[in-house]
Amino acid sequence: MHAPPPDEPRDHKPAVWLLSCLALTLCAATALGGFRADDWINLERGRWAWTAAGAHDLWTSLNPFTLYRPLVDLWHGLMLRLFGLNPPPMLLVLSALLLGQSLLLGRLVREHGGSRNAAMLATVAVWCQPNAYAWTALWVSNATGSLMATFALISLLLFARAARKGARGRTMLPSLIGMALAFLAGALCKEEIVLLPGAVFALEWLRWPQRDARERRAIVVAWVTLVIVTGAYTIFRTHILPTPQMGENRYHLRFGAHVFHNIGFFLQQLGAMPLVTLVLARFLMPAAFTAARSSAAWQQARIGVLSGLGWAVAASLLYLPISGRPAYGYLYVPAFGVAYALAFALDLVSQAAAAAGSRRSVVAPLAVHAVLAAVLCGAGLVGIAWHRYPQLAADAEARLLSEHPAPPRGARMVFFDAGDPKRETFAGRTIFNLVFDDASGSFLRLVYDRDDLDAVILHGPAPKTYTPPPGTIAIYRAQMGELTPWIQTAPSAPAPTGRNP
């Protein structure tokens, strides 16, 4: 039997089928997606960013989460202008960005000497990790990670292009300028991009012995350029517009026992796909799996695998000392490194299988993991009532507009979050908290398209008596995410402590 050459995409059809199924599944999920928590704050800031006052302050101040992400604020404002308070098209755009990023990763694999088969496997492997992208492609606020990942991948490709041109004696300047601009654009979306020089180092260090003198000089020039740009941005963010590093700030970076907890989270979430896929490949293709270790391509595949894993580690470092609990959105960029590494491993097994005359495809193990991960991820989303968010927000908007179509200036509404967190979701948070959190004020201002409205959120069972703050025009009780008017049953008493975001 004739075996296809290593550069021929022998797994083309199954890979395309798997990618198509996963992409269609994600697109279908966008129809169920809704706004939640931070979305209301970010969309309100996005609306403000496109005003005369916001156009100036946007570039000179931190956002409500003490972060500096002006391009994301402009993005949210653009999405709001294009689609209004309608989440599915916003989520569909994020899904399209994920597709573009996976294609960029495939191109990066080719730049680093990988075959077309490896590039295709990397593209598909990105989509086989729904735990790493569900809270980015299906959460409007995590456009931060999606936009930053896009610019980071463009930077990596321009770095490779600059090094290639320099090695051939051609000018590197246009590629270096493009790389620096892409980096800065990513930095204006999310701070995690400061880890990019470490990712480049991880991708290049094992290949260094194979480079000739001209290639090495070009790589050093490109890397030093990237380090200088990164250093300038880091100084700006730590000395001119720093995120406060104190108190209970979620983004307070410090070392402690929580670092080991965060490491465990990343190992568990990012290690699942390589572990499951390679174990299944070993079971389904034992001869090819064994032969791969003794093949001539083993050394190159080994470099690709270790480089990708090094990239994933480098991309995770900023999140390990974060004081707040680890979030699934943190997995987004490291997952590209994992997909990169696994692609080289599976391509090696694919070549060995072809040489042995096997018709089995290495896409099958990827597909099994993708199905398992999608089911678990879907169960998790259902467990926090994610599919109910759009209807709950729509019902709340309809009730408010119906009962208070034209609130007086400076009006305030009070919400008692009276649900039982342990019963409403497995996450230990009420559904109202997951949908609105402390962003009810932003929700009101977006619904009425007015800046003078505000809200107070009180947590715990609704009291029998309550003295509302001045300007209050309505008091609602929330349970299972649904709002009902609160009726006082006894004479007024002092108000409980509340939070006014």
Side-chain angles (χ1 to χ4, degrees), residues 282-427:
R282 178 69 178 84
F283 175 77
L284 294 173
M285 311 165 73
F289 199 90
T290 302
R293 288 291 302 271
S294 58
S295 71
W298 162 250
Q299 183 59 26
Q300 284 301 112
R302 173 180 169 273
I303 290 174
V305 170
L306 294 179
S307 297
L309 294 178
W311 175 11
V313 170
S316 306
L317 292 178
L318 188 63
Y319 292 122
L320 300 183
I322 279 184
S323 299
R325 59 179 177 79
Y328 285 94
Y330 296 169
L331 302 170
Y332 195 70
V333 173
F336 284 90
V338 172
Y340 178 101
L342 187 60
F344 279 93
L346 291 179
D347 183 47
L348 178 64
V349 176
S350 178
Q351 292 180 41
S358 172
R359 293 180 177 272
R360 289 186 182 274
S361 169
V362 292
V363 175
L366 271 175
V368 172
H369 174 269
V371 171
L372 292 174
V375 169
L376 290 173
C377 187
L381 292 175
V382 171
I384 58 172
W386 173 82
H387 57 292
R388 296 187 57 208
Y389 296 171
Q391 190 59 52
L392 291 172
D395 290 347
E397 178 180 354
R399 176 180 283 277
L400 296 180
L401 291 175
S402 173
E403 298 178 359
H404 306 280
R409 183 162 185 81
R412 186 189 308 267
M413 297 187 188
V414 175
F415 299 94
F416 286 114
D417 184 4
D420 185 343
K422 295 181 180 179
R423 293 185 178 181
E424 292 199 356
T425 69
F426 79 88

Side-chain angles (χ1 to χ4, degrees), residues 16-186:
V16 170
W17 274 106
L18 178 57
L19 178 59
S20 300
C21 290
L22 292 170
L24 287 173
T25 300
L26 182 61
C27 289
T30 63
L32 301 175
F35 298 130
R36 63 174 294 265
D38 296 354
D39 292 345
W40 307 110
I41 297 174
N42 284 319
L43 289 171
E44 181 188 18
R45 184 171 172 85
R47 184 188 61 168
W48 165 84
W50 286 78
T51 64
H56 172 266
D57 294 344
L58 174 73
W59 300 96
T60 58
S61 62
L62 300 177
N63 68 17
F65 306 102
T66 69
L67 301 168
Y68 184 71
R69 298 171 179 178
L71 287 188
V72 177
D73 294 330
L74 291 173
W75 172 271
H76 288 312
L78 177 62
M79 293 295 103
L80 190 61
R81 286 187 166 206
L82 290 176
F83 307 119
L85 291 177
N86 187 23
M90 298 185 191
L91 300 177
L92 195 60
V93 172
L94 294 178
S95 298
L97 282 176
L98 177 60
L99 177 60
Q101 293 152 13
S102 63
L103 295 174
L104 288 173
L105 180 67
R107 182 59 204 165
L108 186 64
V109 168
R110 292 291 280 163
E111 286 283 354
H112 291 161
S115 68
R116 283 184 292 169
N117 195 48
M120 186 169 45
L121 289 169
T123 300
V124 175
V126 169
W127 288 78
C128 294
Q129 306 173 84
N131 60 315
Y133 63 74
W135 277 123
T136 297
L138 295 178
W139 188 16
V140 169
S141 287
N142 255 352
T144 55
S146 186
L147 293 172
M148 187 275 293
T150 301
F151 290 120
L153 287 165
I154 292 172
S155 296
L156 290 174
L157 283 170
L158 289 171
F159 180 99
R161 183 179 181 182
R164 186 176 70 250
K165 285 188 173 183
R168 294 175 180 175
R170 299 167 59 186
T171 178
M172 302 170 59
L173 187 59
S175 296
L176 291 179
I177 292 175
M179 177 191 70
L181 291 176
F183 175 90
L184 290 174

Side-chain angles (χ1 to χ4, degrees), residues 41 44 47 85 438-455 500-501:
I41 297 174
E44 181 188 18
R47 184 188 61 168
L85 291 177
D438 286 337
S440 297
S442 294
F443 170 69
L444 289 179
R445 291 185 286 273
L446 286 169
V447 166
Y448 287 99
D449 194 21
R450 288 171 49 180
D451 296 329
D452 61 300
L453 305 179
D454 204 358
N500 188 355

